Amino acid sequence: MFQPDFEAMSRDELEALQLERLRATLTRVYENVPTYREKFDTAGFRPDALSSLTDLATVPFTVKDDLRAAYPYGMFAAPMREIVRVHSSSGTTGQVTVVGYTRGDIERWGDLMARTLACAGATPDDVVQISYGYGLFTGGLGVHYGSERLGCVTIPISGGNTKRQVQVMKDFGVTILAATPSYALLLGETALEMGIDVRDLPLRAGVFGAEPWSENMRTQLEETLGVLAIDIYGLSEVLGPGVAAECSEKHGLHVNEDHFIIEIVDPETLQPVPDGEMGEVVFTTITKEGIPVIRYRTRDISRIIPGPCACGRTFRRMQRVSGRTDDMLIIRGVNVFPSQIEQVLTGIPGVAPHYQVVLSKHGSLDHVEVHVEVGPDFAFDEIRALEKLQRRVSAEIASALAISIGVKLVEPKSIQRSEGKAKRVLDLRNEGSV
Ligand code: DLL
């Protein structure tokens, strides 16, 4: 553990610390951010009236639109002269949002990312290749500061130029890879094409996140790269990476609860649900200065895994995020996340872990089809074998997810590879009828 005094705190100590920090944060935003002042006033909530952590449930939520409306700096709670860094979300789902960090925020972020890397067993003897994108995306620089903080050799290679990445991994003696799981897969595939088996290299752990991935994908990555693969989670509005991470037990992600209060709420009623039940993840930051967020609705779906963890960390664990409410497909009434389809596909021999869910219009009806590549050794011109495999894929999806869905097997390498977050859903519904 990087900070055992915090990571293994007793629950009582932790809750006392949370309450103190929460009070300070609520006062800070009330005094400095008009959006919060208005929200709190309208709800009749006064920060000094908060007497226990359960009172948090009476505080209004914050949503992405609040940040958009305050674009670019309107929700900052520190004067601009104290802000030393900004990051921003990609804006693929609308207007971009901007987040700001004070020097103290950057330091704490470094600590939290050092914790994250330590969860993967990293020490100052490690060599960390950071293949998350650098820039306005929080992935690259987030991991970077954590790696330096821990004292690892830090390789700021960013995403892209995949052959060079493989060469660097080999030549520089990389032991830990930080990348999206889809990019890690591409790195492994590219290495094989270059005649390099990553399992023969010193690489021993991967910190993979920034997009949903399945348990079977973990097995594939661990087998093809010869690593311990852990899931790391975060979002720019709350911090970036460093919000939660799996330990080597690989059973849920420890939330850094001394910095973030997690709640799971029913996405319809917005009422908190008991530990163990699925719902939307809501975070309140309690140490951020630049842009604290109060009850921020992430749209990510998860649950708290009840009970202690064998690793000794006392922070509660959240289950891996299977998807976002915005990515959820409703297929004839059944809710499905692309990562659940991935879990099925990656368990079938003969198909490759490269897939896309394609939405189109047939007349006025929505049509859903999964495109998945066959494995590199599959003879694509053997029609019978192809039909057999296709039937198997359809049947396994039907049995696991209780939906019947079109499946199209496609040739190896025909699905676009990603160097960052993979695009799992291709929505062609506005591009005319098929
Ligand atoms: O993706 C921060 C990050 C960088 C996390 C590097 C981990 C590693 P955003 O670009 O703001 O920030 O996207 C945040 O990505 O709300 C989730 O929907 C999704 N996400 C992030 N990590 C995971 C994960 C970064 N481990 C959004 N599993 C979040 C599933 C994830 N989804």
Side-chain angles (χ1 to χ4, degrees), residues 182-198:
S182 53
Y183 194 50
L185 202 62
L186 178 59
L187 278 167
E189 198 177 67
T190 308
L192 276 182
E193 285 166 12
M194 292 164 69
I196 296 170
D197 188 339
V198 177

Side-chain angles (χ1 to χ4, degrees), residues 161-347:
N161 208 339
T162 308
K163 282 194 176 146
R164 182 158 158 260
Q165 299 253 2
V166 173
Q167 203 61 50
V168 163
M169 181 181 283
K170 178 165 179 272
D171 296 348
F172 294 15
V174 169
T175 56
I176 296 185
L177 172 66
T180 58
S182 53
Y183 194 50
L185 202 62
L186 178 59
L187 278 167
E189 198 177 67
T190 308
L192 276 182
E193 285 166 12
M194 292 164 69
I196 296 170
D197 188 339
V198 177
R199 288 174 298 188
D200 299 335
L201 305 181
L203 191 74
R204 62 179 182 78
V207 284
F208 302 138
E211 64 186 8
W213 51 308
S214 60
E215 203 50 48
N216 277 341
M217 179 71 97
R218 184 204 314 266
T219 310
Q220 289 224 356
L221 283 168
E222 293 195 325
E223 280 170 6
T224 54
L225 302 177
V227 295
L228 162 78
I230 70 157
D231 189 11
I232 72 170
Y233 168 88
L235 60 164
S236 32
E237 292 83 358
V238 173
L239 177 78
V243 175
E246 281 181 332
C247 59
S248 53
E249 298 292 319
K250 298 190 284 190
H251 183 50
L253 295 83
H254 291 279
V255 176
N256 282 308
E257 289 186 284
D258 53 339
H259 296 270
F260 312 103
I261 297 180
I262 181 169
E263 295 172 272
I264 308 287
V265 303
D266 179 319
E268 302 288 321
T269 65
L270 299 183
Q271 290 305 310
V273 302
D275 279 7
E277 275 182 30
M278 296 293 277
E280 179 176 344
V281 183
V282 170
F283 283 111
T284 299
T285 66
I286 51 174
T287 53
K288 271 179 76 189
E289 296 168 340
I291 179 162
V293 287
I294 309 299
R295 304 196 83 202
Y296 183 72
R297 290 185 56 187
T298 62
R299 306 207 169 269
D300 290 329
I301 299 295
S302 179
R303 69 183 184 107
I304 298 287
I305 298 178
C309 180
C311 75
R313 288 177 183 82
T314 48
F315 293 156
R316 286 184 306 165
R317 290 162 296 161
M318 58 189 268
Q319 181 174 303
R320 64 162 66 243
V321 168
S322 41
R324 304 168 52 78
T325 47
D326 351 25
D327 286 344
M328 192 177 73
L329 307 163
I330 304 180
I331 303 173
R332 282 178 289 282
V334 182
N335 298 350
V336 184
F337 287 113
S339 65
Q340 292 174 291
I341 296 175
E342 173 183 299
Q343 170 74 3
V344 178
L345 298 176
T346 44

Side-chain angles (χ1 to χ4, degrees), residues 12-271:
D12 286 351
E13 272 178 303
L14 174 67
E15 287 180 3
L17 181 69
Q18 284 185 324
L19 184 60
E20 181 192 317
R21 290 180 166 177
L22 175 61
R23 277 206 191 104
T25 300
L26 291 170
T27 307
R28 182 180 183 88
V29 299
Y30 188 75
E31 286 172 358
N32 296 296
V33 185
T35 311
Y36 287 115
R37 178 180 286 266
E38 279 160 31
K39 273 181 190 274
F40 291 5
D41 283 347
T42 309
F45 172 76
R46 291 191 54 84
D48 51 13
L50 184 102
S51 61
S52 72
L53 287 173
T54 45
D55 288 350
L56 181 59
T58 64
V59 182
F61 290 98
T62 308
V63 292
K64 202 171 179 110
D65 276 343
D66 292 318
L67 277 95
R68 288 192 181 123
Y71 176 85
Y73 303 141
M75 294 217 15
F76 287 12
M80 287 311 285
R81 61 188 311 274
E82 288 176 21
I83 300 290
V84 299
R85 171 99 65 82
V86 292
H87 282 283
S88 130
S89 70
S90 58
T92 42
T93 56
Q95 153 127 55
V96 298
T97 54
V98 180
V99 288
Y101 302 76
T102 63
R103 196 173 298 284
D105 289 333
I106 297 286
E107 259 167 41
R108 283 182 290 274
W109 192 10
D111 285 340
L112 292 180
M113 282 311 298
R115 285 182 189 177
T116 299
L117 290 163
C119 273
T123 72
D125 294 323
D126 277 298
V127 181
V128 182
Q129 175 165 355
I130 304 174
S131 308
Y132 286 115
Y134 279 63
L136 287 174
F137 175 54
T138 51
L141 281 163
V143 182
H144 184 105
Y145 276 63
S147 170
E148 288 191 348
R149 179 84 179 85
L150 199 58
C152 305
V153 176
T154 304
I155 308 177
I157 193 163
S158 194
N161 208 339
T162 308
K163 282 194 176 146
R164 182 158 158 260
Q165 299 253 2
V166 173
Q167 203 61 50
V168 163
M169 181 181 283
K170 178 165 179 272
D171 296 348
F172 294 15
V174 169
T175 56
I176 296 185
L177 172 66
T180 58
S182 53
Y183 194 50
L185 202 62
L186 178 59
L187 278 167
E189 198 177 67
T190 308
L192 276 182
E193 285 166 12
M194 292 164 69
I196 296 170
D197 188 339
V198 177
R199 288 174 298 188
D200 299 335
L201 305 181
L203 191 74
R204 62 179 182 78
V207 284
F208 302 138
E211 64 186 8
W213 51 308
S214 60
E215 203 50 48
N216 277 341
M217 179 71 97
R218 184 204 314 266
T219 310
Q220 289 224 356
L221 283 168
E222 293 195 325
E223 280 170 6
T224 54
L225 302 177
V227 295
L228 162 78
I230 70 157
D231 189 11
I232 72 170
Y233 168 88
L235 60 164
S236 32
E237 292 83 358
V238 173
L239 177 78
V243 175
E246 281 181 332
C247 59
S248 53
E249 298 292 319
K250 298 190 284 190
H251 183 50
L253 295 83
H254 291 279
V255 176
N256 282 308
E257 289 186 284
D258 53 339
H259 296 270
F260 312 103
I261 297 180
I262 181 169
E263 295 172 272
I264 308 287
V265 303
D266 179 319
E268 302 288 321
T269 65
L270 299 183
Q271 290 305 310

